[in-house]
């Protein structure tokens, strides 16, 4: 089975070969963005090192019907690129009545890779705050394919919160739903991998926990089986790899507890900027942290 | 004032006499339509009939008019002060009026108001409201609309936005078929250019590899340079101009440094009879009144 990086590369190749474009900085440089960019000239637009203008250029291409892919090698660059994405692309359909379908690949990297306060962390929450943009966090080959298919059939801008830890994944991560379990974890992005580890550890201790993989952040979507699972659960923990305050995890917790009258808790990044030295790391909540949170809950 | 020296910047003596009479008539007619339409907006704003934020360009009609004849059929991107380009490039006046009135039948359904107008059928792209945003957007549009010409208007304040400068630099890299027009009234709200920067936009544009010229807002002169540049894009025309009304709203502080509308009439009097000039004004006023008759 192809891994996520290979899936992204082959979907991109098909898109470019049909005449569309992929836009970004240093796309054809070292590693070709973790091997997710096809080795070809056609359709690849190398930007100059200008982030805000770069996003604006991609937005213009989207208005022109080019269905561009904008690649941001780190999610930290979202801060610079956000203006044309949320102030223009996300408002197009509602204000102007025409669409601006742009596919933004925002790539998160883990705090423990020495990125420190610069390129670590995930910032999908701030985009979910704005109307007019789809926010999605795929992690597996099938999820990436589904997101891509939905984008091609949609006229909305997509903020795809990718995580580097997904690129080598060549398997699917399915929900774990057991009617007898009273506790459920809803996990987002790279937190899903640590949640799986936590569930394995807990299973050995004869404590079974449900897992709901949350891919569609906005519009917030749960399947029927996921809703049934939430309804049955007494405790629900939402684990995300972005900050808790004003974050997606908190919003999901609030929506769920209000609608289904269940007890919720959240776990995300701790409230400080990560540093480059190991003692200052602030990465995706670990399996141990998840277990600890469940115990305190 | 020091600014007055720009009233004849780059002028070519007797240029208007080299133009066919009918062409000059069309130039003046378009200037009049924009001016009298905006006079109606001004009155409607004073009566609080429009949405509060209205960005008028009374006094600056020659800029969009001067560009429009040579660039007709192009994609057009303007910014918050966009009524002039909208009308000069044949945007639907009724949709504009309704937008300014906040009606559902407005070009943005009453949601965008004066700074966000568009007419996508006429290739006039909407503006998001943040100054200069349209400059990189124009470059991106050019990436997928290969071979199509684009006109992109922005102001002297927007010219200082980092992303505008970065986009201008990328325009030559990408060989964008874009004519950039800087509508330069030497003020960002009320802060003069000399308090904001030490450089001239045309110098920067030339250093990026764009063809560029700095001229006054004489409509024939603008047409002349547009014609000269339109097949050698990307290019930039910095046009010195002055506005008769506030940055936003319908108020007025000082008298104009120069009155391009009156200067244009004076130049026209060498081409047209007084009655002909009067008739163009009369017809345009009637048209604007008819549009605004509610």
């Amino acid at each position: 089975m192809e891994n996520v990086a290979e899936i992204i590369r082959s979907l991109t190749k098909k898109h470019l070969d049909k005449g569309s474009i992929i836009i970004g900085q240093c796309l054809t440089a070292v590693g070709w963005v973790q091997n997710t960019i096809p080795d070809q000239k056609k359709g690849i637009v190398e930007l100059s090192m200008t982030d805000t203008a770069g996003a604006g250029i991609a937005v213009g291409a989207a208005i022109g019907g080019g269905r561009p892919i904008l690649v941001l090698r780190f999610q930290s660059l979202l801060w610079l690129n956000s203006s044309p994405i949320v102030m223009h692309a996300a408002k197009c359909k509602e204000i102007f009545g025409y669409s601006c379908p742009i596919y933004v690949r925002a790539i998160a990297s883990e705090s423990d890779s020495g990125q420190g306060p610069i390129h670590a962390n995930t910032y999908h929450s701030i985009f979910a705050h704005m109307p007019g943009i789809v926010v999605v966090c795929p992690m597996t080959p099938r999820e990436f394919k589904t997101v891509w298919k939905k984008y091609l059939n949609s006229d909305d801008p997509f903020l795809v919160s990718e995580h580097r830890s997904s690129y080598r994944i060549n398997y699917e991560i399915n929900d774990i739903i057991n009617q007898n379990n009273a506790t459920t974890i809803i996990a987002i992005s790279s937190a899903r991998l640590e949640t799986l580890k936590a569930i394995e550890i807990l299973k050995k201790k004869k404590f079974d926990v449900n897992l709901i993989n949350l891919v569609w952040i906005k519009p917030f979507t749960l399947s029927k089986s996921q809703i049934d699972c939430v309804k049955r659960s007494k405790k629900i923990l939402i684990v995300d790899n972005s900050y808790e305050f004003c974050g997606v995890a908190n919003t999901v917790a609030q929506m769920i507890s209000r609608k289904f009258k269940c007890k919720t808790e959240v776990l995300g990044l701790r409230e400080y900027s990560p540093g480059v030295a190991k003692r200052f790391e602030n990465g995706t909540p670990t399996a141990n942290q998840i277990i600890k949170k469940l115990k305190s809950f | 004032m020091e600014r007055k020296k720009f009233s004849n910047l780059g002028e070519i003596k007797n240029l208007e006499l080299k133009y066919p009479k009918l062409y000059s008539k069309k130039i003046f007619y378009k200037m009049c339509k924009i001016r009298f339409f905006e006079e109606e907006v001004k009155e409607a704003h004073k009566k609080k009939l429009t949405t509060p934020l209205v960005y008028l360009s009374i006094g600056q009609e020659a800029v969009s008019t001067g560009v429009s004849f040579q660039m007709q059929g192009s994609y057009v991107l303007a910014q918050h002060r966009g009524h002039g380009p909208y009308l000069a490039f044949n945007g639907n006046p009724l949709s504009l009026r309704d937008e300014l009135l906040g009606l559902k039948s407005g070009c943005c359904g009453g949601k965008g108001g004066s700074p966000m107008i568009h007419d996508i059928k006429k290739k006039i792209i909407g503006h998001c409201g943040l100054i200069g945003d349209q400059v990189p957007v124009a470059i991106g549009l050019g990436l997928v609309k290969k071979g199509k010409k684009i006109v992109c208007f922005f102001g002297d304040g927007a010219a200082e936005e980092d992303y505008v400068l970065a986009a201008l630099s990328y325009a030559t890299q990408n060989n964008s078929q874009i004519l950039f027009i800087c509508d330069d009234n030497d003020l960002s709200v009320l802060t003069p250019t000399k308090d904001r920067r030490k450089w001239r936009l045309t110098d920067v544009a030339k250093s990026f590899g764009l063809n560029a010229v700095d001229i006054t807002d004489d409509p024939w002169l603008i047409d002349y340079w547009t014609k000269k540049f339109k097949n050698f894009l990307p290019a930039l025309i910095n046009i010195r101009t002055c506005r008769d009304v506030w940055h936003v709203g319908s108020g007025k502080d000082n008298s104009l440094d120069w009155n391009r509308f009156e200067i244009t009439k004076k130049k026209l009097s060498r081409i047209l009879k007084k009655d002909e000039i009067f008739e163009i004004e009369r017809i345009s006023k009637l048209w604007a009144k008819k549009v605004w008759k509610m």
Side-chain angles (χ1 to χ4, degrees):
Chain A
M1 191 178 179
E2 286 179 305
N3 65 27
V4 164
E6 288 161 343
I7 292 290
I8 295 173
R9 196 171 65 234
S10 70
L11 291 173
T12 304
K13 182 170 174 47
K14 271 186 206 163
H15 196 53
L16 303 190
D17 288 346
K18 281 181 189 166
S20 291
I21 52 175
I22 185 163
I23 302 177
Q25 296 169 358
C26 310
L27 296 181
T28 55
V30 190
W32 293 66
V33 192
Q34 281 77 49
N35 220 7
T36 59
I37 308 289
D39 184 1
Q40 62 183 61
K41 279 192 174 170
K42 192 184 175 190
I44 296 180
V45 179
E46 283 285 6
L47 287 173
S48 53
M49 299 304 287
T50 163
D51 278 281
T52 314
I57 289 167
V59 165
I63 291 169
R67 283 199 174 264
I69 302 168
L70 172 66
V71 180
L72 306 178
R73 296 173 72 104
F74 296 101
Q75 288 212 4
S76 47
L77 302 174
L78 274 172
W79 297 107
L80 297 170
N81 282 269
S82 60
S83 166
I85 297 168
V86 295
M87 283 299 287
H88 203 138
K91 291 184 180 181
C92 254
K93 205 160 71 174
E94 201 179 327
I95 307 287
F96 304 132
Y98 54 80
S99 60
C100 185
I102 177 176
Y103 187 94
V104 182
R105 285 186 53 201
I107 303 167
S109 62
E110 202 53 80
S111 171
D112 63 6
S113 55
Q115 307 286 355
I118 308 157
H119 289 319
N121 289 358
T122 312
Y123 302 109
H124 43 239
S125 290
I126 55 158
F127 286 82
H129 181 67
M130 295 301 289
I133 186 162
V134 172
V135 180
V136 63
C137 303
M139 284 293 287
T140 70
R142 191 173 60 214
E143 288 165 3
F144 271 89
K145 280 184 192 170
T146 306
V147 167
W148 180 251
K149 201 174 168 187
K150 290 228 176 181
Y151 165 71
L152 291 182
N153 291 316
S154 162
D155 60 355
D156 288 318
F158 275 44
L159 190 283
V160 185
S161 179
E162 295 180 8
H163 199 281
R164 282 191 189 201
S165 61
S166 72
Y167 290 155
R168 288 186 183 174
I169 292 178
N170 61 354
Y171 52 90
E172 292 304 317
I173 305 171
N174 297 317
D175 288 350
I176 301 167
I177 297 176
N178 186 325
Q179 287 199 14
N180 302 321
N181 296 345
T183 304
T184 296
I185 300 176
I186 298 177
I188 301 165
S189 185
S190 58
R192 290 165 61 185
L193 304 178
E194 287 299 315
T195 302
L196 275 177
K197 287 181 199 166
I199 288 173
E200 279 305 307
I201 295 167
L202 290 168
K203 201 175 179 182
K204 283 175 189 162
K205 294 178 181 173
K206 310 270 183 223
F207 182 67
D208 285 335
V209 176
N210 291 328
L211 167 67
I212 290 177
N213 296 290
L214 185 57
V215 177
W216 294 88
I217 304 294
K218 195 173 188 180
F220 175 61
T221 315
L222 290 178
S223 67
K224 193 183 173 304
S225 62
Q226 290 172 334
I227 291 171
D228 289 343
C229 172
V230 167
K231 279 180 182 170
R232 282 194 305 269
S233 301
K234 291 201 172 103
K235 291 178 184 175
I236 297 174
L237 174 66
I238 298 101
V239 191
D240 185 22
N241 57 351
S242 65
Y243 288 106
E244 287 177 18
F245 190 78
C246 289
V248 160
N250 259 316
T251 304
V252 170
Q254 194 232 12
M255 284 193 297
I256 285 175
S257 61
R258 199 164 52 190
K259 194 161 182 183
F260 301 110
K261 313 285 179 213
C262 53
K263 209 173 166 191
T264 58
E265 258 297 352
V266 300
L267 180 62
L269 303 187
R270 286 159 291 170
E271 191 72 8
Y272 66 86
S273 287
V276 287
K278 197 143 184 74
R279 66 185 182 281
F280 297 126
E281 278 174 8
N282 190 9
T284 303
T286 62
N288 284 338
Q289 287 168 333
I290 294 167
I291 292 166
K292 202 174 158 191
K293 188 78 183 180
L294 273 182
K295 281 181 181 169
S296 69
F297 174 20
Chain B
M1 271 176 86
E2 199 189 341
R3 222 170 275 147
K4 279 186 180 163
K5 69 182 179 200
F6 297 129
S7 67
N8 57 3
L9 184 69
E11 268 203 341
I12 299 171
K13 208 175 173 191
N14 296 328
L15 181 64
E16 67 277 10
L17 300 180
K18 291 174 187 157
Y19 273 77
K21 191 174 159 181
L22 184 63
Y23 201 94
S24 294
K25 266 185 163 179
K26 283 181 180 173
I27 285 177
F28 187 57
Y29 180 53
K30 196 171 265 189
M31 279 179 70
C32 286
K33 277 178 89 172
I34 296 169
R35 188 179 186 88
F36 298 130
F37 181 94
E38 288 214 301
E39 290 287 357
E40 293 293 328
V41 180
K42 192 167 95 174
E43 289 311 307
H45 184 263
K46 281 180 178 167
K47 290 176 191 164
K48 299 194 171 171
L49 296 173
T50 66
T51 49
L53 295 181
V54 166
Y55 296 89
L56 297 169
S57 57
I58 296 170
Q60 299 176 301
E61 306 83 12
V63 176
S64 46
T65 299
V67 177
S68 66
F69 291 96
Q70 297 295 337
M71 298 299 285
Q72 212 48 248
S74 305
Y75 283 90
V76 177
L77 293 95
Q79 60 177 39
H80 61 286
R81 200 174 308 285
H83 304 169
Y86 180 98
L87 292 169
F89 283 86
N90 304 318
N92 184 334
L94 298 176
S95 302
L96 174 55
R97 177 203 65 189
D98 289 356
E99 187 58 33
L100 299 175
L101 293 171
L103 302 176
K104 231 179 177 179
S105 47
C107 54
C108 301
K111 270 201 142 180
S114 176
M116 300 183 90
I117 54 175
H118 78 94
D119 188 337
I120 199 71
K121 284 182 192 160
K122 298 285 169 61
K123 299 186 187 171
I124 301 167
I125 308 296
H127 184 244
C128 85
L130 301 180
I131 64 163
D133 168 271
Q134 73 282 12
V135 180
V137 170
I139 308 260
L141 188 67
L143 276 178
V144 295
K145 299 289 181 191
K146 296 253 185 242
K148 306 282 182 195
K149 287 191 168 56
I150 297 170
V151 186
C152 181
F153 293 88
F154 59 93
D156 56 292
E160 292 153 23
E161 291 284 6
D162 44 7
Y163 46 88
V164 169
L165 292 168
L168 288 177
S169 114
Y170 195 67
T172 44
Q173 173 71 18
N174 187 47
N175 199 25
S176 303
Q177 294 300 292
I178 305 177
L179 178 62
F180 298 100
I181 302 294
C182 181
D183 205 332
D184 182 355
N185 75 332
D186 198 33
L187 291 171
S188 176
V189 187
L190 282 174
T191 307
T193 310
K194 66 178 174 54
D195 294 348
R196 308 185 327 252
R197 58 169 139 116
K198 299 284 182 209
W199 46 270
R200 283 158 58 112
L201 180 60
T202 43
D203 291 341
V204 173
K206 282 177 188 169
S207 75
F208 287 154
L210 280 90
N211 293 306
V213 67
D214 196 0
I215 57 171
T216 194
D217 60 350
D218 177 279
W220 291 279
L221 187 64
I222 298 169
D223 182 90
Y224 169 86
W225 278 104
T226 305
K227 190 177 179 185
K228 207 161 177 169
F229 279 162
K230 73 177 181 183
N231 293 321
F232 299 97
L233 300 173
L236 179 142
I237 309 179
N238 191 74
I239 303 172
R240 309 289 181 149
T241 182
C242 44
R243 194 173 59 246
D244 201 24
V245 283
W246 282 345
H247 167 70
V248 60
S250 49
K252 174 185 161 98
D253 285 327
N254 305 313
S255 57
L256 288 165
D257 290 312
W258 68 89
N259 188 328
R260 180 56 60 193
F261 193 72
E262 290 305 319
I263 296 170
T264 303
K265 275 167 72 176
K266 203 173 163 190
K267 285 189 174 182
L268 265 180
S269 68
R270 300 173 71 194
I271 307 163
L272 305 175
K273 288 176 189 159
K274 214 176 171 182
D275 291 353
E276 288 177 292
I277 298 170
F278 179 79
E279 184 60 8
I280 294 170
E281 282 192 82
R282 191 187 69 82
I283 292 169
S284 318
K285 271 183 195 164
L286 271 178
W287 170 82
K289 289 232 174 287
K290 202 175 160 191
V291 169
W292 279 88
K293 196 175 174 188
M294 292 172 289

